[in-house]
Amino acid sequence: MKKLKVIYVGRLSEFKGFHNLIKVMNDLSNEKIEFVKIGKGKLEKNIPNNKNIKYIGAVDYEKIFEYYKDANVLILPSYSETFSYVILEAMACGLVVLTSDLATLRVLVTPKRNGYLFRPGDTEKIKEFILYLKNNLEEVSRISKNNLIDANRFINDKIIPKYETLYKSLLI
């Protein structure tokens, strides 16, 4: 791997923290890091014109995995999230996950095992994590292997029986 490739998938809005990611991309514009942005939204006009930034726009769901498989890191800097399928998709493709430290996302991300958490809006911490991964590619490889294993915890065959048991216990 010659270059770290960081992918963002989602709405290009402040609610999703995309304005923070724009700042990070600007601040890291001289680094050998490629940023891939997938999605649409009102902030797309603010995406910097930089050779290290690739803006794809909206993508059919069937094609999204092609982009995941070409990346190393998923970033999700949201201010609020429910259960994130984007994180699960990225984990299933072996990506390192960088995401906001939200209660709903801590279920998926265990710091240093399959990704890293940062306070919403903390652009300095986001940059610190990205530069750390850029300079420690063995860490990217280690976490990638963990995520290929960890994504299996959320396969329907494993998760549905847990919900059924929970629902049955509530009915009694």
mmCIF file of all heavy atoms in Angstrom, residues 8 10-25 37 43 75-81 100 102 118-123 126:
data_model
loop_
_atom_site.group_PDB
_atom_site.id
_atom_site.type_symbol
_atom_site.label_atom_id
_atom_site.label_comp_id
_atom_site.label_asym_id
_atom_site.label_seq_id
_atom_site.Cartn_x
_atom_site.Cartn_y
_atom_site.Cartn_z
ATOM 1 N N TYR A 8 -15.352 8.492 2.679
ATOM 2 C CA TYR A 8 -16.526 8.984 3.401
ATOM 3 C C TYR A 8 -17.735 8.598 2.572
ATOM 4 O O TYR A 8 -17.770 8.847 1.363
ATOM 5 C CB TYR A 8 -16.462 10.501 3.567
ATOM 6 C CG TYR A 8 -17.753 11.098 4.089
ATOM 7 C CD1 TYR A 8 -17.977 11.204 5.456
ATOM 8 C CD2 TYR A 8 -18.742 11.540 3.218
ATOM 9 C CE1 TYR A 8 -19.167 11.734 5.938
ATOM 10 C CE2 TYR A 8 -19.931 12.067 3.698
ATOM 11 C CZ TYR A 8 -20.139 12.168 5.048
ATOM 12 O OH TYR A 8 -21.320 12.682 5.523
ATOM 13 N N GLY A 10 -21.917 9.079 2.719
ATOM 14 C CA GLY A 10 -23.071 9.643 3.413
ATOM 15 C C GLY A 10 -23.468 10.987 2.860
ATOM 16 O O GLY A 10 -22.920 11.456 1.863
ATOM 17 N N ARG A 11 -24.435 11.598 3.530
ATOM 18 C CA ARG A 11 -24.873 12.939 3.133
ATOM 19 C C ARG A 11 -23.764 13.938 3.395
ATOM 20 O O ARG A 11 -23.060 13.853 4.406
ATOM 21 C CB ARG A 11 -26.111 13.351 3.930
ATOM 22 C CG ARG A 11 -27.384 12.706 3.473
ATOM 23 C CD ARG A 11 -28.569 13.315 4.198
ATOM 24 N NE ARG A 11 -28.281 13.476 5.618
ATOM 25 C CZ ARG A 11 -28.842 12.767 6.586
ATOM 26 N NH1 ARG A 11 -29.730 11.863 6.306
ATOM 27 N NH2 ARG A 11 -28.516 12.966 7.834
ATOM 28 N N LEU A 12 -23.643 14.897 2.513
ATOM 29 C CA LEU A 12 -22.635 15.945 2.666
ATOM 30 C C LEU A 12 -23.296 17.109 3.412
ATOM 31 O O LEU A 12 -23.689 18.111 2.822
ATOM 32 C CB LEU A 12 -22.106 16.372 1.302
ATOM 33 C CG LEU A 12 -21.653 15.231 0.373
ATOM 34 C CD1 LEU A 12 -21.111 15.771 -0.933
ATOM 35 C CD2 LEU A 12 -20.639 14.331 1.048
ATOM 36 N N SER A 13 -23.415 16.936 4.733
ATOM 37 C CA SER A 13 -24.126 17.915 5.558
ATOM 38 C C SER A 13 -23.378 18.143 6.871
ATOM 39 O O SER A 13 -22.514 17.351 7.254
ATOM 40 C CB SER A 13 -25.540 17.418 5.858
ATOM 41 O OG SER A 13 -25.494 16.301 6.723
ATOM 42 N N GLU A 14 -23.724 19.236 7.526
ATOM 43 C CA GLU A 14 -23.118 19.525 8.827
ATOM 44 C C GLU A 14 -23.522 18.491 9.868
ATOM 45 O O GLU A 14 -22.721 18.123 10.720
ATOM 46 C CB GLU A 14 -23.496 20.936 9.282
ATOM 47 C CG GLU A 14 -22.802 21.999 8.456
ATOM 48 C CD GLU A 14 -23.042 23.410 8.950
ATOM 49 O OE1 GLU A 14 -23.567 23.587 10.072
ATOM 50 O OE2 GLU A 14 -22.695 24.338 8.215
ATOM 51 N N PHE A 15 -24.759 18.021 9.805
ATOM 52 C CA PHE A 15 -25.245 16.996 10.724
ATOM 53 C C PHE A 15 -24.340 15.761 10.690
ATOM 54 O O PHE A 15 -24.096 15.129 11.713
ATOM 55 C CB PHE A 15 -26.682 16.626 10.327
ATOM 56 C CG PHE A 15 -27.298 15.545 11.161
ATOM 57 C CD1 PHE A 15 -27.782 15.821 12.430
ATOM 58 C CD2 PHE A 15 -27.416 14.259 10.674
ATOM 59 C CE1 PHE A 15 -28.357 14.825 13.206
ATOM 60 C CE2 PHE A 15 -27.994 13.254 11.439
ATOM 61 C CZ PHE A 15 -28.464 13.547 12.705
ATOM 62 N N LYS A 16 -23.839 15.427 9.509
ATOM 63 C CA LYS A 16 -22.947 14.272 9.339
ATOM 64 C C LYS A 16 -21.480 14.642 9.587
ATOM 65 O O LYS A 16 -20.589 13.821 9.420
ATOM 66 C CB LYS A 16 -23.089 13.684 7.938
ATOM 67 C CG LYS A 16 -24.418 13.001 7.709
ATOM 68 C CD LYS A 16 -24.508 11.729 8.510
ATOM 69 C CE LYS A 16 -25.710 10.899 8.139
ATOM 70 N NZ LYS A 16 -25.711 9.623 8.820
ATOM 71 N N GLY A 17 -21.224 15.895 9.966
ATOM 72 C CA GLY A 17 -19.857 16.322 10.259
ATOM 73 C C GLY A 17 -19.010 16.558 9.023
ATOM 74 O O GLY A 17 -17.783 16.648 9.112
ATOM 75 N N PHE A 18 -19.652 16.688 7.867
ATOM 76 C CA PHE A 18 -18.879 16.831 6.638
ATOM 77 C C PHE A 18 -18.083 18.135 6.617
ATOM 78 O O PHE A 18 -16.988 18.177 6.057
ATOM 79 C CB PHE A 18 -19.778 16.715 5.402
ATOM 80 C CG PHE A 18 -19.002 16.550 4.137
ATOM 81 C CD1 PHE A 18 -18.353 15.359 3.859
ATOM 82 C CD2 PHE A 18 -18.888 17.592 3.234
ATOM 83 C CE1 PHE A 18 -17.603 15.203 2.710
ATOM 84 C CE2 PHE A 18 -18.144 17.450 2.080
ATOM 85 C CZ PHE A 18 -17.509 16.251 1.818
ATOM 86 N N HIS A 19 -18.591 19.179 7.245
ATOM 87 C CA HIS A 19 -17.840 20.442 7.315
ATOM 88 C C HIS A 19 -16.518 20.244 8.066
ATOM 89 O O HIS A 19 -15.503 20.854 7.719
ATOM 90 C CB HIS A 19 -18.682 21.545 7.941
ATOM 91 C CG HIS A 19 -19.106 21.281 9.346
ATOM 92 N ND1 HIS A 19 -19.934 20.227 9.703
ATOM 93 C CD2 HIS A 19 -18.804 21.912 10.503
ATOM 94 C CE1 HIS A 19 -20.140 20.245 11.002
ATOM 95 N NE2 HIS A 19 -19.455 21.254 11.515
ATOM 96 N N ASN A 20 -16.517 19.373 9.072
ATOM 97 C CA ASN A 20 -15.270 19.067 9.787
ATOM 98 C C ASN A 20 -14.299 18.306 8.889
ATOM 99 O O ASN A 20 -13.091 18.548 8.925
ATOM 100 C CB ASN A 20 -15.553 18.246 11.040
ATOM 101 C CG ASN A 20 -16.409 18.975 12.044
ATOM 102 O OD1 ASN A 20 -17.384 18.435 12.534
ATOM 103 N ND2 ASN A 20 -16.077 20.217 12.362
ATOM 104 N N LEU A 21 -14.841 17.400 8.095
ATOM 105 C CA LEU A 21 -13.998 16.641 7.179
ATOM 106 C C LEU A 21 -13.384 17.545 6.121
ATOM 107 O O LEU A 21 -12.227 17.351 5.722
ATOM 108 C CB LEU A 21 -14.799 15.504 6.542
ATOM 109 C CG LEU A 21 -14.005 14.491 5.741
ATOM 110 C CD1 LEU A 21 -12.824 13.937 6.526
ATOM 111 C CD2 LEU A 21 -14.915 13.375 5.268
ATOM 112 N N ILE A 22 -14.123 18.551 5.671
ATOM 113 C CA ILE A 22 -13.568 19.518 4.717
ATOM 114 C C ILE A 22 -12.345 20.199 5.319
ATOM 115 O O ILE A 22 -11.317 20.348 4.659
ATOM 116 C CB ILE A 22 -14.643 20.549 4.294
ATOM 117 C CG1 ILE A 22 -15.686 19.866 3.398
ATOM 118 C CG2 ILE A 22 -14.008 21.746 3.587
ATOM 119 C CD1 ILE A 22 -16.908 20.717 3.096
ATOM 120 N N LYS A 23 -12.432 20.592 6.584
ATOM 121 C CA LYS A 23 -11.286 21.214 7.256
ATOM 122 C C LYS A 23 -10.097 20.245 7.314
ATOM 123 O O LYS A 23 -8.964 20.621 7.025
ATOM 124 C CB LYS A 23 -11.667 21.668 8.665
ATOM 125 C CG LYS A 23 -10.487 22.273 9.421
ATOM 126 C CD LYS A 23 -10.840 22.730 10.793
ATOM 127 C CE LYS A 23 -9.717 23.333 11.576
ATOM 128 N NZ LYS A 23 -8.393 23.399 11.050
ATOM 129 N N VAL A 24 -10.362 19.008 7.671
ATOM 130 C CA VAL A 24 -9.299 17.998 7.750
ATOM 131 C C VAL A 24 -8.641 17.806 6.377
ATOM 132 O O VAL A 24 -7.418 17.769 6.266
ATOM 133 C CB VAL A 24 -9.859 16.654 8.290
ATOM 134 C CG1 VAL A 24 -8.858 15.526 8.108
ATOM 135 C CG2 VAL A 24 -10.257 16.801 9.753
ATOM 136 N N MET A 25 -9.462 17.699 5.334
ATOM 137 C CA MET A 25 -8.906 17.517 3.978
ATOM 138 C C MET A 25 -8.038 18.699 3.590
ATOM 139 O O MET A 25 -6.961 18.519 3.003
ATOM 140 C CB MET A 25 -10.033 17.324 2.962
ATOM 141 C CG MET A 25 -10.768 16.013 3.104
ATOM 142 S SD MET A 25 -11.989 15.685 1.802
ATOM 143 C CE MET A 25 -13.169 17.020 2.017
ATOM 144 N N LYS A 37 -14.924 10.856 -1.542
ATOM 145 C CA LYS A 37 -16.203 11.302 -0.991
ATOM 146 C C LYS A 37 -17.327 10.741 -1.843
ATOM 147 O O LYS A 37 -17.389 10.978 -3.043
ATOM 148 C CB LYS A 37 -16.309 12.825 -1.004
ATOM 149 C CG LYS A 37 -15.136 13.527 -0.373
ATOM 150 C CD LYS A 37 -15.164 13.343 1.109
ATOM 151 C CE LYS A 37 -13.811 13.138 1.674
ATOM 152 N NZ LYS A 37 -13.371 11.847 2.003
ATOM 153 N N LEU A 43 -23.319 20.603 1.080
ATOM 154 C CA LEU A 43 -21.915 20.985 1.259
ATOM 155 C C LEU A 43 -21.006 20.526 0.116
ATOM 156 O O LEU A 43 -19.808 20.790 0.152
ATOM 157 C CB LEU A 43 -21.387 20.451 2.593
ATOM 158 C CG LEU A 43 -22.027 21.048 3.851
ATOM 159 C CD1 LEU A 43 -21.400 20.452 5.104
ATOM 160 C CD2 LEU A 43 -21.908 22.565 3.873
ATOM 161 N N ILE A 75 -14.213 7.037 7.261
ATOM 162 C CA ILE A 75 -14.405 8.081 8.267
ATOM 163 C C ILE A 75 -15.876 8.464 8.316
ATOM 164 O O ILE A 75 -16.519 8.638 7.286
ATOM 165 C CB ILE A 75 -13.508 9.309 8.020
ATOM 166 C CG1 ILE A 75 -13.688 10.308 9.155
ATOM 167 C CG2 ILE A 75 -13.787 9.943 6.665
ATOM 168 C CD1 ILE A 75 -12.503 11.162 9.420
ATOM 169 N N LEU A 76 -16.398 8.540 9.540
ATOM 170 C CA LEU A 76 -17.792 8.915 9.778
ATOM 171 C C LEU A 76 -17.801 9.916 10.940
ATOM 172 O O LEU A 76 -17.880 9.528 12.100
ATOM 173 C CB LEU A 76 -18.631 7.676 10.114
ATOM 174 C CG LEU A 76 -20.125 7.890 10.217
ATOM 175 C CD1 LEU A 76 -20.717 8.297 8.872
ATOM 176 C CD2 LEU A 76 -20.804 6.636 10.726
ATOM 177 N N PRO A 77 -17.694 11.229 10.633
ATOM 178 C CA PRO A 77 -17.578 12.243 11.688
ATOM 179 C C PRO A 77 -18.903 12.829 12.159
ATOM 180 O O PRO A 77 -18.987 14.002 12.509
ATOM 181 C CB PRO A 77 -16.718 13.312 10.996
ATOM 182 C CG PRO A 77 -17.134 13.238 9.559
ATOM 183 C CD PRO A 77 -17.437 11.775 9.296
ATOM 184 N N SER A 78 -19.949 12.029 12.216
ATOM 185 C CA SER A 78 -21.306 12.493 12.526
ATOM 186 C C SER A 78 -21.441 13.058 13.929
ATOM 187 O O SER A 78 -20.719 12.686 14.848
ATOM 188 C CB SER A 78 -22.290 11.338 12.386
ATOM 189 O OG SER A 78 -22.398 10.936 11.058
ATOM 190 N N TYR A 79 -22.462 13.903 14.064
ATOM 191 C CA TYR A 79 -22.832 14.445 15.368
ATOM 192 C C TYR A 79 -23.908 13.601 16.024
ATOM 193 O O TYR A 79 -24.113 13.671 17.229
ATOM 194 C CB TYR A 79 -23.296 15.893 15.230
ATOM 195 C CG TYR A 79 -22.132 16.833 15.064
ATOM 196 C CD1 TYR A 79 -21.536 17.018 13.824
ATOM 197 C CD2 TYR A 79 -21.596 17.496 16.152
ATOM 198 C CE1 TYR A 79 -20.450 17.859 13.672
ATOM 199 C CE2 TYR A 79 -20.504 18.337 16.020
ATOM 200 C CZ TYR A 79 -19.936 18.509 14.766
ATOM 201 O OH TYR A 79 -18.848 19.323 14.629
ATOM 202 N N SER A 80 -24.605 12.805 15.233
ATOM 203 C CA SER A 80 -25.640 11.919 15.749
ATOM 204 C C SER A 80 -25.810 10.781 14.755
ATOM 205 O O SER A 80 -25.764 10.999 13.553
ATOM 206 C CB SER A 80 -26.950 12.689 15.899
ATOM 207 O OG SER A 80 -27.970 11.838 16.370
ATOM 208 N N GLU A 81 -25.989 9.575 15.251
ATOM 209 C CA GLU A 81 -26.169 8.396 14.393
ATOM 210 C C GLU A 81 -27.035 7.384 15.115
ATOM 211 O O GLU A 81 -27.008 7.285 16.331
ATOM 212 C CB GLU A 81 -24.827 7.710 14.081
ATOM 213 C CG GLU A 81 -24.000 8.344 13.015
ATOM 214 C CD GLU A 81 -24.555 8.216 11.617
ATOM 215 O OE1 GLU A 81 -25.295 7.254 11.322
ATOM 216 O OE2 GLU A 81 -24.266 9.096 10.803
ATOM 217 N N SER A 100 -17.068 9.195 15.098
ATOM 218 C CA SER A 100 -17.403 9.966 16.295
ATOM 219 C C SER A 100 -17.714 9.028 17.449
ATOM 220 O O SER A 100 -18.285 7.956 17.261
ATOM 221 C CB SER A 100 -18.628 10.842 16.017
ATOM 222 O OG SER A 100 -18.363 11.732 14.962
ATOM 223 N N LEU A 102 -19.931 8.136 19.724
ATOM 224 C CA LEU A 102 -21.354 8.182 20.048
ATOM 225 C C LEU A 102 -21.760 6.827 20.611
ATOM 226 O O LEU A 102 -21.245 5.798 20.169
ATOM 227 C CB LEU A 102 -22.174 8.484 18.786
ATOM 228 C CG LEU A 102 -21.807 9.774 18.042
ATOM 229 C CD1 LEU A 102 -22.544 9.844 16.717
ATOM 230 C CD2 LEU A 102 -22.108 10.991 18.901
ATOM 231 N N PHE A 118 -13.428 9.524 18.165
ATOM 232 C CA PHE A 118 -13.058 10.902 18.476
ATOM 233 C C PHE A 118 -14.326 11.671 18.841
ATOM 234 O O PHE A 118 -15.423 11.294 18.441
ATOM 235 C CB PHE A 118 -12.336 11.567 17.298
ATOM 236 C CG PHE A 118 -13.071 11.439 15.993
ATOM 237 C CD1 PHE A 118 -14.085 12.337 15.654
ATOM 238 C CD2 PHE A 118 -12.763 10.420 15.101
ATOM 239 C CE1 PHE A 118 -14.765 12.209 14.459
ATOM 240 C CE2 PHE A 118 -13.444 10.290 13.902
ATOM 241 C CZ PHE A 118 -14.452 11.192 13.585
ATOM 242 N N ARG A 119 -14.169 12.727 19.632
ATOM 243 C CA ARG A 119 -15.319 13.573 19.980
ATOM 244 C C ARG A 119 -15.856 14.229 18.704
ATOM 245 O O ARG A 119 -15.075 14.688 17.871
ATOM 246 C CB ARG A 119 -14.921 14.662 20.974
ATOM 247 C CG ARG A 119 -14.748 14.182 22.394
ATOM 248 C CD ARG A 119 -14.540 15.339 23.391
ATOM 249 N NE ARG A 119 -14.014 16.575 22.831
ATOM 250 C CZ ARG A 119 -12.711 16.873 22.728
ATOM 251 N NH1 ARG A 119 -11.802 16.046 23.147
ATOM 252 N NH2 ARG A 119 -12.337 18.027 22.201
ATOM 253 N N PRO A 120 -17.167 14.290 18.544
ATOM 254 C CA PRO A 120 -17.713 14.965 17.364
ATOM 255 C C PRO A 120 -17.142 16.384 17.236
ATOM 256 O O PRO A 120 -17.078 17.124 18.222
ATOM 257 C CB PRO A 120 -19.225 15.011 17.640
ATOM 258 C CG PRO A 120 -19.471 13.841 18.532
ATOM 259 C CD PRO A 120 -18.237 13.756 19.404
ATOM 260 N N GLY A 121 -16.674 16.710 16.054
ATOM 261 C CA GLY A 121 -16.120 18.036 15.789
ATOM 262 C C GLY A 121 -14.645 18.199 16.095
ATOM 263 O O GLY A 121 -14.070 19.251 15.828
ATOM 264 N N ASP A 122 -14.004 17.176 16.634
ATOM 265 C CA ASP A 122 -12.589 17.277 17.025
ATOM 266 C C ASP A 122 -11.683 17.017 15.814
ATOM 267 O O ASP A 122 -11.149 15.923 15.635
ATOM 268 C CB ASP A 122 -12.288 16.286 18.152
ATOM 269 C CG ASP A 122 -10.909 16.498 18.769
ATOM 270 O OD1 ASP A 122 -10.071 17.217 18.176
ATOM 271 O OD2 ASP A 122 -10.675 15.933 19.856
ATOM 272 N N THR A 123 -11.507 18.041 14.998
ATOM 273 C CA THR A 123 -10.724 17.884 13.769
ATOM 274 C C THR A 123 -9.246 17.594 14.050
ATOM 275 O O THR A 123 -8.602 16.911 13.260
ATOM 276 C CB THR A 123 -10.847 19.125 12.859
ATOM 277 O OG1 THR A 123 -10.439 20.287 13.578
ATOM 278 C CG2 THR A 123 -12.283 19.293 12.374
ATOM 279 N N ILE A 126 -9.032 13.879 14.606
ATOM 280 C CA ILE A 126 -9.212 13.188 13.329
ATOM 281 C C ILE A 126 -7.902 13.211 12.542
ATOM 282 O O ILE A 126 -7.446 12.171 12.042
ATOM 283 C CB ILE A 126 -10.348 13.828 12.501
ATOM 284 C CG1 ILE A 126 -11.689 13.666 13.213
ATOM 285 C CG2 ILE A 126 -10.394 13.226 11.098
ATOM 286 C CD1 ILE A 126 -12.820 14.493 12.594
#
